[in-house]
Amino acid sequence: MPNVTTNAAYQQILSMALEDRSSGYQDLVSNNNALLAVMKRKGLWNTYSGPTIRQTLQIGKTTAQWYSGFDQLLNPAIDLFNDAVYTPKQVVIPVILSMQEILNNEGEAQLMDVYDSYISAAERALEDTMDAGLYGDGTANGGKQITGLATAVPIVPTTGTYGGIDRNLATIWQTKTYDAHTYSAAIGTQVNATTIRPLLNAVMTKQSRNRNYADLLIMSPEHYAAYDAATVAIQRQQGETSLGKLGFTALEYIGGGKRAEIVLDGGIGSNMPANTTFGLNTDTFRLRYHPSRNFDKLFEGEGQMPIDKDAIAQFIGWMGELTMVNPLFNWRLYDSVPAS
């Protein structure tokens, strides 16, 4: 360890401590959010370059032709692809210590404990900030926040602009929303242990095509409790999903000819909306990030020492956006009148 007798040495120690831990920040963030965890497992965290993030979308379909002999082979002009365009968002988490606090804790072991406490606090803030963004609508901090599920899979999917595309005009860019209160009187008007499986079966069947369907169901405590009560003990024991092994509270959905991981998201400080289930086809999402801002130190070398403060500072930075390539198999089930 360097001789901690100068401000430069203190800055070096802080930067070195962040460097040692920064390689695990992708895991730190992904292991705190089920969608990010599945995307990371599938290799859907991708880099980008340039001032905007362009996500190629297939908007048309070529038509096959049955023919015989000298039939004319048709080759009509078709617009097959277009781009959704996203603006990269930036976030930083500061790690700042005053020299007074550093000097009050001089001594190798004591000072490293202080650094560890500050960095751990920054890591918790990083987890909370990304999780809030993943459930948000991108309007926080004057529109500087990452655009999350509130906009990607909104309650009203027929209005607004997402990825630079007007959903009112481009119906193929619309996700689906189902209100349990009005969806099926035959099933029921409230999400409970009796209705949750029939509701999920109906929605999963309707919002699927062959192997394309929602493979991740993120549930609020109300919906998760209903599903848990609807399953027998042996079904719960057999649902040892990959997310369950990561520490998420998880079950497995089997129904409507489909299988999906069910994850509970709720509790103290949760950003998950109440009385809601997100049905997500995780193959259609991407977390696009800049290769130079992937939970890295913001300042190279020794970090910063503000000119007007007796302190040392470093930042953990990230830049990118959550994007979507196909909205068709993503949906939201919610209960607008849960007490009905």
Side-chain angles (χ1 to χ4, degrees), residues 215-331:
D215 58 288
L216 176 63
L217 308 182
I218 305 177
M219 291 186 173
S220 65
E222 303 85 1
H223 286 197
Y224 189 89
Y227 189 86
D228 187 52
T231 58
V232 297
I234 187 64
Q235 289 174 310
R236 290 196 292 271
Q237 291 167 359
Q238 290 175 342
E240 188 179 356
T241 68
S242 58
L243 287 173
K245 294 175 182 177
L246 284 176
F248 292 96
T249 304
L251 295 171
E252 185 173 31
Y253 165 82
I254 303 175
K258 306 293 183 286
R259 303 175 77 105
E261 292 179 283
I262 296 177
V263 176
L264 167 66
D265 197 336
I268 298 173
S270 173
N271 299 292
M272 176 74 181
N275 299 292
T276 298
T277 294
F278 286 108
L280 307 177
N281 180 347
T282 56
D283 289 333
T284 65
F285 287 91
R286 305 287 186 273
L287 188 69
R288 304 291 302 274
Y289 63 90
H290 196 285
S292 297
R293 282 289 183 275
N294 187 26
F295 306 115
D296 301 307
K297 290 189 309 179
L298 199 63
F299 301 107
E300 295 298 327
E302 299 171 356
Q304 285 191 325
M305 187 167 185
I307 59 174
D308 60 345
K309 291 181 176 62
D310 189 18
I312 60 174
Q314 186 55 275
F315 295 81
I316 305 167
W318 184 84
M319 182 176 182
E321 181 62 292
L322 178 72
T323 67
M324 186 192 295
V325 299
N326 186 347
L328 244 132
F329 309 106
N330 297 305
W331 47 267

Side-chain angles (χ1 to χ4, degrees), residues 29-95:
V29 171
S30 67
N31 290 346
N32 192 53
N33 183 280
L35 174 59
L36 293 183
V38 174
M39 291 169 62
K40 190 170 187 295
R41 182 181 74 203
K42 291 184 172 184
L44 300 176
W45 290 36
N46 305 140
T47 60
Y48 77 93
S49 60
T52 60
I53 300 172
R54 305 190 73 87
Q55 195 69 63
T56 301
L57 316 173
Q58 183 174 343
I59 61 171
K61 182 180 179 181
T62 55
T63 303
Q65 176 187 352
W66 296 100
Y67 78 101
S68 67
F70 290 100
D71 287 354
Q72 180 183 3
L73 302 182
L74 303 177
N75 186 25
I78 299 175
D79 290 329
L80 276 180
F81 298 98
N82 205 334
D83 286 348
V85 181
Y86 298 85
T87 300
K89 306 298 179 64
Q90 299 180 90
V91 63
V92 294
I93 306 295
V95 184

Side-chain angles (χ1 to χ4, degrees), residues 98-129:
S98 71
M99 287 304 300
Q100 179 182 15
E101 186 160 17
I102 291 173
L103 295 174
N104 286 343
N105 289 278
E106 277 193 319
E108 182 174 326
Q110 194 170 348
L111 186 55
M112 289 308 296
D113 285 343
V114 172
Y115 282 158
D116 187 66
S117 296
Y118 271 85
I119 294 173
S120 294
E123 290 170 349
R124 288 191 295 272
L126 180 62
E127 290 177 329
D128 293 343
T129 299

